[in-house]
Amino acid sequence: MAERIANASFASKVMSASDAAALVPNGAVIGFSGFTGSGYPKEFPPALAQRMRVARDAGEDFRISAYTGASTAPELDGALAETGGVQLRSPYQSDPSMRKAINAGTTYYSDVHLSFMAGQVAAGFFPKPDFAVIEVSAITADGELVPSSSVGNNRTWLELADKVILEVNSWQSEDLRGMHDIYYPIGALPPNRVPVPITSAGDRIGQATLKVDPAKVVAVIKTSDPDRNTPFKPIDDDSRAIANYLLDFLHYQVKSGLIPKNLLPLQSGVGNIPNAVLDGLLHSDLENLSSYTEVIQDGMIDLIDAGKLTVASATAFSLSPDYAHKMNENAAFYRKHIILRPQDISNNGEVIRRLGVISSNGMIEADMYGNVNSTHVMGTRMMNGIGGSGDFTRSAFISCFVSPSTAKGGKISAIVPMVSHVDHTEHDVHVIITEQGLADLRGLAPRQRAKVIIEKCVHPDYREQLKDYYERACATSTFQQTPHILSEALSWHERFNETGSMLQA
Ligand code: 0RQ
């Protein structure tokens, strides 16, 4: 794959992953590429994990801090977490071993909105990365980098790190070249910021390649390993029901003249429900759709193939193996419809607000007033992280949250008196949808919201229980803006911890 490294100076730095890992000292802060299982370095992290393991087995301390774009894969988050040597992890993860290390308290996890991470590291809120370890699909003759299947925070890590290690991955399609839009310069600090000049989801405002100072490149590793892609589960009844409520709601917004016939740019999280929504769009009469979102999923590829989705802006792919294969075969076609941007641009609040994005994200739980917990199970156990949900929710024209009304076989209600952790406040949450129904909370005050949420979203097994709590809170609370019985507000969570179910006996 000589042609993938078209620059002689970079080619002269090719070495093995373990030789590259040997360059990293104890205490290093590393900015990795990688976003939702795509575009992460595949060979270097396991080699580094091996180095850490050997050092730690010999009684030496060897810890590193790891920044990424978002979640990665077992080869990165899993391998590093299993050494027990990750000091700090940020911003988003979803790996079982990393989650375990975070919840055991051996790894600090700073859970930052994805669009903010690069700027906060540049500003010095976090330690600056010593190393950037970045997967690319090619290095051009003039030493620029063709990104691979995610952009994430790569341009910022490349700019801020003292040393750079590149993985050139020949599994990635060469035709990805031209799909990316890398906006330079990297975000200036206040008071020198300027508007991000995107006024339509399909605008290109940057260049196709990433820049790197060749003097900083200390190693180049050749790989041909595939991204970690997980197949989607077949769409289940609850997801289908939730998707139908959302699509009916969108049709009604069109009919009432609030939004155009081709909707507004859509953002959707990943998973079974968003997949069902995309499938619903595919089978609807809607056309000329656009998407300003975080990741490109299978359903968007189907919509592009059907000619219904004109353009999709994101920062990464999150494709099943079949669709990743399709992308690799047809990237020259898809790059006419897909733009991959740095995550501070794909998730940029200023742009999201200007475009009027309609957002839709999953949640762990919501409370009867519309506060949403996306991250913590029973208030203390980290699940994944806030990801881009806050970037989109706060700035969306219409923000939606979707979830089955219960979890763990009905033992947990997704609608509770008070959320055990707040990621999205009642001020930001416009619509909540479960398989039971849709609560349109726009313009409502807390007590009005509670009535709609209890009526539309709560599972019948929990409806009377929540209604009873709400009525007693209204009857006994001195202040009536947001009535609660504080001694009871988290009793459903306590009951689950004690008995294994939130249901009252
Ligand atoms: O547990 O994995 O043990 O089966 O959480 O739940 O219902 O499969 O839903 O995959 O959409 O995940 C909030 C975690 C939902 C996700 C969250 C348990 C449930 C199951 C997964 P198991 P589901 P999802 C931009 C947006 C934050 C990031 C984000 C998330 C597991 O959506 O990480 O929004 N969001 N990014 O059993 C205890 C509850 C529970 C619960 C669910 N109330 N209590 N466990 N679970 N509800 C992203 C992009 O644009 C890419």
Side-chain angles (χ1 to χ4, degrees):
M1 62 181 240
E3 74 284 3
R4 293 269 181 149
I5 308 174
N7 177 291
S9 150
F10 287 74
S12 72
K13 292 172 184 166
V14 170
M15 64 178 77
S16 71
S18 52
D19 286 350
L23 303 171
V24 176
N26 175 30
V29 177
I30 306 176
F32 289 101
S33 63
F35 203 108
T36 54
S38 56
Y40 58 94
K42 280 119 183 136
E43 306 270 338
F44 175 86
L48 178 62
Q50 175 61 11
R51 171 163 160 70
M52 291 166 73
R53 213 173 293 114
V54 169
R56 291 166 73 84
D57 287 350
E60 294 166 33
D61 196 21
F62 202 122
R63 290 172 79 79
I64 57 115
S65 293
Y67 309 151
T68 58
S71 54
T72 63
E75 301 97 302
L76 199 167
D77 269 311
L80 294 178
E82 278 155 26
T83 67
V86 179
Q87 168 75 18
L88 171 70
R89 177 72 176 86
S90 196
Y92 181 81
Q93 56 73 45
S94 63
D95 179 84
S97 300
M98 188 59 78
R99 189 182 291 138
K100 203 166 150 197
I102 290 165
N103 286 317
T106 50
T107 292
Y108 284 118
Y109 178 44
S110 181
D111 189 15
V112 180
H113 297 296
L114 292 182
S115 73
F116 282 75
M117 182 71 191
Q120 293 190 358
V121 177
F125 294 8
F126 288 82
K128 222 167 58 97
D130 303 302
F131 286 82
V133 182
I134 308 293
E135 181 186 271
V136 298
S137 58
I139 300 172
T140 66
D142 52 8
E144 299 220 328
L145 312 175
V146 182
S148 70
S149 46
S150 67
V151 178
N153 285 316
N154 295 357
R155 105 184 172 304
T156 303
W157 301 159
L158 287 165
E159 188 120 340
L160 295 181
D162 298 326
K163 293 183 177 156
V164 171
I165 295 171
L166 300 171
E167 283 201 6
V168 183
N169 188 342
S170 60
W171 175 83
Q172 303 281 2
S173 167
E174 289 186 274
D175 289 333
L176 289 176
R177 188 168 183 179
M179 185 179 282
H180 311 91
D181 186 58
I182 315 296
Y183 181 55
Y184 282 103
I186 71 165
L189 292 180
N192 299 315
R193 287 189 175 153
V194 294
V196 176
I198 294 178
T199 54
S200 161
D203 285 352
R204 287 185 176 271
I205 58 169
Q207 60 177 67
T209 49
L210 289 159
K211 298 179 197 175
V212 64
D213 173 359
K216 297 203 299 188
V217 177
V218 293
V220 176
I221 301 163
K222 292 182 183 181
T223 71
S224 57
D225 302 329
D227 279 336
R228 182 261 322 180
N229 309 105
T230 35
F232 282 114
K233 291 179 256 176
I235 298 170
D236 60 30
D237 291 347
D238 282 357
S239 301
R240 182 76 68 197
I242 293 168
N244 287 342
Y245 283 122
L246 178 57
L247 292 166
D248 285 351
F249 171 79
L250 294 177
H251 274 113
Y252 184 71
Q253 304 312 306
V254 173
K255 216 169 127 198
S256 62
L258 182 68
I259 62 175
K261 265 207 313 235
N262 65 337
L263 309 181
L264 289 164
L266 300 170
Q267 177 264 339
S268 81
V270 276
N272 209 12
I273 300 171
N275 206 27
V277 172
L278 294 171
D279 189 66
L281 288 171
L282 184 66
H283 296 100
S284 75
D285 54 1
L286 294 164
E287 286 180 338
N288 291 322
L289 300 169
S290 66
S291 180
Y292 200 81
T293 188
E294 197 174 283
V295 297
I296 304 293
Q297 335 172 24
D298 291 5
M300 292 180 188
I301 301 295
D302 291 337
L303 284 167
I304 291 172
D305 289 347
K308 285 175 171 276
L309 181 64
T310 316
V311 68
S313 162
T315 191
F317 295 138
S318 184
L319 299 171
S320 67
D322 286 352
Y323 279 71
H325 180 71
K326 194 170 176 181
M327 177 57 62
N328 270 352
E329 296 289 301
N330 302 297
F333 165 72
Y334 289 117
R335 73 184 174 213
K336 294 183 204 142
H337 298 278
I338 293 173
I339 303 176
L340 297 183
R341 312 177 188 276
Q343 69 193 63
D344 50 301
I345 306 295
S346 66
N347 287 25
N348 188 286
E350 170 204 338
V351 176
I352 292 162
R353 191 181 286 203
R354 183 180 302 129
L355 300 184
V357 169
I358 299 172
S359 70
S360 144
N361 290 294
M363 62 184 191
I364 298 278
E365 61 183 6
D367 67 28
M368 59 187 194
Y369 294 121
N371 300 287
V372 165
N373 169 10
S374 293
T375 55
H376 286 71
V377 172
M378 302 300 143
T380 56
R381 184 155 64 85
M382 175 51 67
M383 186 71 182
N384 302 325
I386 194 164
S389 57
D391 292 328
F392 284 94
T393 297
R394 172 61 63 87
S395 300
F397 183 58
I398 304 176
S399 67
C400 309
F401 280 93
V402 293
S403 170
S405 65
T406 59
K408 304 296 172 203
K411 300 284 198 303
I412 292 175
S413 173
I415 314 290
V416 290
M418 182 186 266
V419 282
S420 57
H421 175 93
V422 194
D423 294 294
H424 311 288
T425 70
E426 43 144 333
H427 316 284
D428 300 324
V429 177
H430 296 148
V431 176
I432 295 180
I433 313 172
T434 69
E435 81 290 349
Q436 300 295 321
L438 180 148
D440 183 354
L441 308 174
R442 291 173 297 170
L444 301 186
R447 279 177 296 142
Q448 295 174 303
R449 276 191 227 134
K451 284 190 184 132
V452 180
I453 292 174
I454 292 169
E455 186 197 333
K456 303 279 187 188
C457 296
V458 181
H459 191 278
D461 290 353
Y462 289 96
R463 197 171 290 145
E464 283 310 309
Q465 196 175 310
L466 192 55
K467 207 161 152 238
D468 172 61
Y469 172 84
Y470 173 67
E471 284 168 359
R472 285 186 295 111
C474 289
T476 57
S477 196
T478 311
F479 302 105
Q480 288 295 310
Q481 172 64 9
T482 311
H484 265 302
I485 306 167
L486 289 183
S487 58
E488 226 185 277
L490 295 174
S491 61
W492 292 30
H493 302 83
E494 283 182 336
R495 188 177 308 117
F496 176 81
N497 283 339
E498 281 159 18
T499 69
S501 171
M502 283 186 172
L503 271 175
Q504 264 163 356

